[in-house]
Amino acid sequence: MEISLSGGRFQSCLREIRKRARDVDDEKKGIKIKKEDWEKLHVHIASYNNFPTAAGLASSAAGLACLVFTLGKLMNVNEDYGELSSIARQGSGSACRSIYGGFVKWCMGKNDDGSDSMAVQLVNESHWDDLVIIIAVVSSKQKETSSTSGMRDTVETSPLLQYRAQTVVPSRILKMEDAIKNRDFESFARLTCADSNQFHAVCLDTSPPIFYMNDTSHRIISLVEKWNHSEGTPQVAYTFDAGPNAVLIARNRKTATLLLQRLLYTFPPQENDLDRYTTNMCTSDKHDHGSYMLGDKSILSDAGLQSIADVEALPAPPEMKAPNQKFKGDVSYFICSRPGAGPKVLTDEGHALIDSATGLAKGV
């Protein structure tokens, strides 16, 4: 799909990066561009997501952060990540955090023009490398209410938002920072789940109410809450952004395998998805949209799920009161990941999405 970059958010990012552009002189590639020439040059951008767009999984944050980072590299911009995060924020608020890797805080700032509203990295991705993230993609469909319009309506109509912003969030952020720095998973999980639930309570408090989650989202929450309660301490944290898809954070890889077993027991593939599960579970093609598991597929082997027969043989979790209740096909697919390093330049030309000879997306 080809889109224009004429929209205000894209243009803001382009304008701010061009302001900071510098001369480029690459003798090896025979490229010489003067600073003032960047105002007249056009760019052709190709991007690829391995997760749904506009479905509540921060696709705009990832896309705009990548756009700003890449344009900065292209135009030889000499700004620190904090300044780049401030530019990315103008494209998508959450994009400012995606400029960094690891755990990142978005600082509100005090200036009326928002110029000092930027992100700071609390710790890098190696600080808490035990964590494993499993994303349950419930729906790839574009959400009915966009994040931008939804937040605008919430600001205008929700009394609960004012209480949340003024009373809850400031102290919760400090507690979350301490939990991350101390690698205190129990506090981290309780804060994460509570904040997710309150965010969606604010959505319901909006007029008209905004329904981002669905029945499958609620069942995933119930699954995690029952397991955490039965263990006496949190094993997994859940969080839902502006959509029905669950981001589940396990305290370590062993816990992640137990989580995946519970998820696949409760939400097994439909019959017509069995081949997709079996055929693709061991492949690692980065453009493999057909898989039932994307990202780190080795988690399936670690969980003892080498085939669909292994999924069908999974025992009911001991904390489950209705063990025969299953919801086939209610989760489209899973993504296994971990805290990442943020944007990076790939030097292997084989990863390029643009044909260096034509300047167009490959395959066009």
Side-chain angles (χ1 to χ4, degrees), residues 45-358:
I45 300 162
S47 68
Y48 160 80
N49 280 357
N50 73 341
F51 57 95
T53 300
L57 282 174
S59 59
S60 61
L64 269 298
C66 194
L67 173 70
V68 168
F69 179 84
T70 304
L71 289 174
K73 291 292 184 183
L74 175 69
M75 300 184 188
N76 198 23
V77 170
N78 187 29
E79 299 285 1
D80 61 26
Y81 275 24
E83 188 66 28
L84 288 178
S85 79
S86 180
I87 297 170
R89 176 189 55 76
Q90 298 177 50
S92 171
S94 297
C96 69
R97 291 182 299 223
S98 297
I99 287 289
Y100 293 94
F103 292 84
V104 185
K105 175 183 176 181
W106 179 5
C107 299
M108 181 170 64
K110 297 179 180 178
N111 296 343
D112 291 339
D113 63 359
S115 57
D116 61 340
S117 178
M118 60 181 65
V120 294
Q121 185 185 59
L122 299 176
V123 291
N124 66 24
E125 66 281 0
S126 63
H127 168 76
W128 203 352
D129 56 4
D130 288 342
L131 299 179
V132 177
I133 302 167
I134 293 180
I135 300 169
V137 179
V138 174
S139 174
S140 301
K141 294 179 181 177
Q142 186 167 333
K143 56 199 175 193
E144 291 183 15
T145 306
S146 73
S147 301
T148 303
S149 64
M151 181 52 67
R152 184 180 60 245
D153 292 344
T154 298
V155 168
E156 291 175 354
T157 66
S158 171
L160 181 56
L161 176 67
Q162 308 310 316
Y163 173 77
R164 171 174 161 79
Q166 295 167 15
T167 306
V168 178
V169 170
S171 62
R172 187 171 280 167
I173 285 178
L174 295 176
K175 292 175 183 175
M176 180 59 86
E177 286 185 45
D178 285 342
I180 291 168
K181 289 174 181 176
N182 296 322
R183 294 191 286 272
D184 176 358
F185 187 80
E186 180 175 351
S187 297
F188 171 83
R190 295 191 194 282
L191 289 165
T192 299
C193 297
D195 202 69
S196 175
N197 291 335
Q198 191 180 71
F199 164 69
H200 287 278
V202 167
C203 293
L204 293 176
D205 191 49
T206 301
S207 181
I210 303 170
F211 303 97
Y212 283 127
M213 293 196 291
N214 60 21
D215 287 347
T216 303
S217 311
H218 297 147
R219 290 184 183 112
I220 293 172
I221 290 175
S222 178
L223 180 154
V224 172
E225 289 284 3
K226 288 175 182 175
W227 185 24
N228 285 345
H229 180 74
S230 71
E231 295 290 341
T233 187
Q235 304 299 301
V236 174
Y238 59 79
T239 181
F240 293 78
D241 199 359
N245 303 308
V247 177
L248 305 166
I249 306 168
R251 63 190 314 149
N252 53 43
R253 192 166 180 89
K254 174 61 177 175
T255 305
T257 63
L258 297 174
L259 170 62
L260 190 59
Q261 289 171 355
R262 283 166 166 80
L263 289 169
L264 283 171
Y265 176 86
T266 309
F267 306 104
Q270 287 185 0
E271 279 75 5
N272 57 2
D273 278 334
L274 298 187
D275 287 341
R276 183 162 67 102
Y277 180 94
T278 306
T279 304
N280 294 303
M281 64 177 293
C282 297
T283 64
S284 58
D285 183 358
K286 67 188 178 80
H287 296 295
D288 181 12
H289 280 297
S291 272
Y292 203 69
M293 172 65 75
L294 294 176
D296 180 7
K297 299 184 183 186
S298 65
I299 191 76
L300 289 167
S301 298
D302 290 354
L305 302 173
Q306 301 278 10
S307 68
I308 198 63
D310 295 328
V311 174
E312 293 171 341
L314 282 169
E319 68 276 4
M320 186 174 286
K321 293 181 179 178
N324 294 323
Q325 196 168 23
K326 299 186 179 184
F327 304 91
K328 284 190 174 183
D330 280 9
V331 173
S332 298
Y333 59 94
F334 297 96
I335 303 171
C336 182
S337 186
R338 61 191 320 119
K344 61 181 179 180
V345 176
L346 300 178
T347 56
D348 183 354
E349 290 287 337
H351 288 109
L353 300 178
I354 286 187
D355 189 323
S356 59
T358 65

Side-chain angles (χ1 to χ4, degrees), residues 27-69:
E27 292 183 7
K28 186 177 179 181
K29 294 184 177 180
I31 298 172
K32 194 166 187 176
I33 302 171
K34 299 297 261 180
K35 174 182 177 179
E36 55 270 20
D37 292 338
W38 286 114
E39 290 291 340
K40 298 173 283 187
L41 292 173
H42 298 273
V43 291
H44 193 117
I45 300 162
S47 68
Y48 160 80
N49 280 357
N50 73 341
F51 57 95
T53 300
L57 282 174
S59 59
S60 61
L64 269 298
C66 194
L67 173 70
V68 168
F69 179 84

